[in-house]
Amino acid sequence: MSTFALPATLLRRAARSLSALAAVVASVLAFLALVVLTDGAGSGLAAWLPVLAVGTALTLRRSRGRTRAARLVPFLPVVVAAALTAPVCVPTVPTARQYPPDLPFVATERWSLDTGSSVAVYHYPPAGPGPRHPVPLVYLNGGPVRGISLLDHRFLQLLAGQGYDVYAYEQPGGGRSGLLPMDQYTADRSVRDLGAFVDRLGGGAVDVLGFSSGAVVLTRALADPGTAARVHRAVIAEPGPMDGPTARTAGHQGRESARGLAPDPTGPRSTHVPRYAVAFGLMRLGLLSPGTGLIGQAEGDNAFTAADLGGDTASAYCARDAHRIPAEDSARNFSFSPAASLRVQRTVRDSASIAPRLGRSRTPAMLMIAECSSQVRQWATAVLAADPAIQRTQFMPGVGHHMWNGLDGNNDRAAAVIGAFLQDQSAPLPNSPTREGIPAFLRDHE
């Protein structure tokens, strides 16, 4: 054999291998592009079948004139590409909603609201040796569209032990609450659900504690005269952006959080499964709609795990707490709807300013801000600037976004701040920042 024959043969083989690899990559990219163009129609089959058909047709055309054995070789890239993309089209969890089991320490009631929402409700009657507070307290948890964590349930039990008549409900799509059609997940629907829930209690106005995205619902409720009339006192804790202009505001976060410092969360991740990695990734990038045909809402809820939140959990704690972050929830209780959550957030981002309407609020309110907050400071100060009925602001030292986290007596401190306001008593902490002090407060956090 010529000394040049072997290198030439190797080069031809390498060229064929590169060509085959390029064909596989092109097929996978074409599949992903079609998934986006079809919005995942037919669980991804509307993208998979055309790519397979075109790849097969092109290969047949190139194979003409070859021997039978030689005609099979060009099909290898088609087979490999089909095998790589097929798992994106196949569910690996139930496609009908699998709800968390009921909790052993509190009854799960299921209420049908006048809005058409079906919500899971938890009631902690007043307990303990102290006086009973006559006004019920309603808790709106964060998420959005997330089940109430065990950590939050423990805090609600603490408030009930101090004499508060505590009610909490999981917003539609979260926890044990029923699902809605995807286009009905909106910030305005959440406000209407709050009003309908208070009406269902039937005892007049209530105090409301809203945390994170729950604080957004509460803030927007205060800008709605009909819903605001049902609120006796409002506690706005660590709010997200209240409207579109606020969401688009660049700003600063609080002191360093534990994000990037805490150990990676353990447990299974749906994003390690090709189907859900593609679906959630493209939804997060805005390339698939929350109502995508790739995965149904119920399937996405069943698939998503606490580990999929990644560093988001650590971002709710101070850097000094990075190696002692408590377990916020159990795998059996955890529930989060990624698609519905994105849908609600987009309706907030796309909404007009509520500041003019919030400026007419007369409901006594308190704002709580955490020292190590992962939230943009301007999200909280926008509420403070717009709402003239905010009577005090409590800057909570030594805690992150999740202020009642079971560490170092933080639950007791948060309960003391909330209780003092609801009972119209002196604040445990200085009133800071004040409305006039917003510029200085923001400068301190540059």
Side-chain angles (χ1 to χ4, degrees):
M1 180 181 289
S2 167
T3 56
F4 296 102
L6 185 58
T9 300
L10 291 175
L11 286 173
R12 283 195 298 271
R13 289 177 180 174
R16 285 197 295 268
S17 297
L18 288 174
S19 177
L21 179 60
V24 171
V25 171
S27 296
V28 171
L29 292 177
F31 168 74
L32 293 175
L34 275 178
V35 166
V36 172
L37 289 173
T38 62
D39 198 23
S43 194
L45 289 174
W48 189 80
L49 290 173
V51 170
L52 177 62
V54 170
T56 301
L58 291 174
T59 303
L60 284 171
R61 187 174 182 179
R62 288 198 301 268
S63 301
R64 290 174 181 171
R66 299 187 182 188
T67 64
R68 179 176 298 180
R71 282 202 300 267
L72 295 177
V73 175
F75 280 95
L76 183 60
V78 177
V79 173
V80 171
L84 288 174
T85 53
V88 177
C89 305
V90 181
T92 60
V93 300
T95 56
R97 183 70 174 106
Q98 305 292 297
Y99 292 97
D102 286 356
L103 296 166
F105 51 82
V106 62
T108 303
E109 303 177 39
R110 289 170 175 84
W111 292 7
S112 295
L113 304 180
D114 288 344
T115 56
S117 297
S118 174
V119 296
V121 180
Y122 311 95
H123 180 209
Y124 292 102
R132 304 299 196 256
H133 304 294
V135 180
L137 174 61
V138 174
Y139 176 62
L140 299 176
N141 66 302
V145 199
R146 179 176 177 175
I148 298 174
S149 70
L150 297 180
L151 195 63
D152 280 3
H153 275 290
R154 286 194 285 272
F155 184 63
L156 300 181
Q157 289 173 317
L158 172 63
L159 293 174
Q162 296 180 355
Y164 294 96
D165 191 14
V166 180
Y167 289 86
Y169 68 93
E170 289 165 323
Q171 296 177 30
R176 297 161 185 83
S177 291
L179 307 183
L180 294 175
M182 189 56 66
D183 61 357
Q184 293 187 28
Y185 288 105
T186 68
D188 289 342
R189 173 61 173 263
S190 298
V191 171
R192 293 195 299 272
D193 282 343
L194 172 60
F197 182 82
V198 176
D199 287 345
R200 177 69 185 266
L201 289 176
V206 301
D207 294 328
V208 182
L209 165 61
F211 166 65
S212 193
S213 63
V216 175
V217 175
L218 177 54
T219 301
R220 294 177 70 91
L222 296 178
D224 178 76
T227 311
R230 300 171 171 93
V231 181
H232 175 253
R233 282 181 173 254
V235 179
I236 304 167
E238 279 286 285
M242 64 182 184
D243 54 23
T246 308
R248 293 188 288 272
T249 299
H252 313 287
Q253 296 181 346
R255 306 282 186 250
E256 186 181 14
S257 77
R259 190 183 189 101
L261 302 174
D264 291 334
T266 59
R269 296 190 183 201
S270 69
T271 48
H272 288 170
V273 179
R275 178 172 175 81
Y276 307 112
V278 169
F280 296 147
L282 293 179
M283 274 194 284
R284 194 176 184 97
L285 292 172
L287 298 176
L288 289 181
S289 73
T292 176
L294 183 57
I295 59 170
Q297 177 189 170
E299 182 189 350
D301 294 0
N302 294 337
F304 202 87
T305 69
D308 286 321
L309 293 174
D312 285 355
T313 298
S315 70
Y317 294 82
C318 291
R320 69 184 186 187
D321 297 326
H323 296 282
R324 58 171 191 156
I325 293 175
E328 294 193 340
D329 216 345
S330 68
R332 286 171 60 82
N333 185 63
F334 177 81
S335 169
F336 182 76
S337 179
S341 179
L342 280 173
R343 165 75 183 165
V344 172
Q345 291 178 65
R346 287 178 186 176
T347 66
V348 172
R349 189 178 65 239
D350 295 340
S351 67
S353 173
I354 66 168
R357 289 183 287 128
L358 188 58
R360 295 189 288 271
S361 175
R362 296 296 177 266
T363 303
M366 177 179 71
L367 179 65
M368 297 176 70
I369 304 175
E371 179 182 10
C372 308
S373 177
S374 55
Q375 306 287 78
V376 173
R377 290 301 194 196
Q378 280 83 346
W379 294 349
T381 57
V383 179
L384 178 59
D387 187 351
I390 291 181
Q391 298 179 347
R392 66 178 71 168
T393 303
Q394 300 284 268
F395 181 78
M396 306 293 291
V399 293
H401 179 58
H402 208 152
M403 293 181 285
W404 39 86
N405 53 35
L407 300 175
D408 302 333
N410 290 331
N411 285 18
D412 291 327
R413 280 188 283 274
V417 165
I418 293 167
F421 174 70
L422 295 181
Q423 301 309 310
D424 200 19
Q425 298 170 350
S426 299
L429 299 170
N431 182 31
S432 175
T434 62
R435 199 167 285 103
E436 297 75 18
I438 290 175
F441 175 74
L442 294 176
R443 283 197 301 272
D444 289 342
H445 294 87
E446 290 183 345

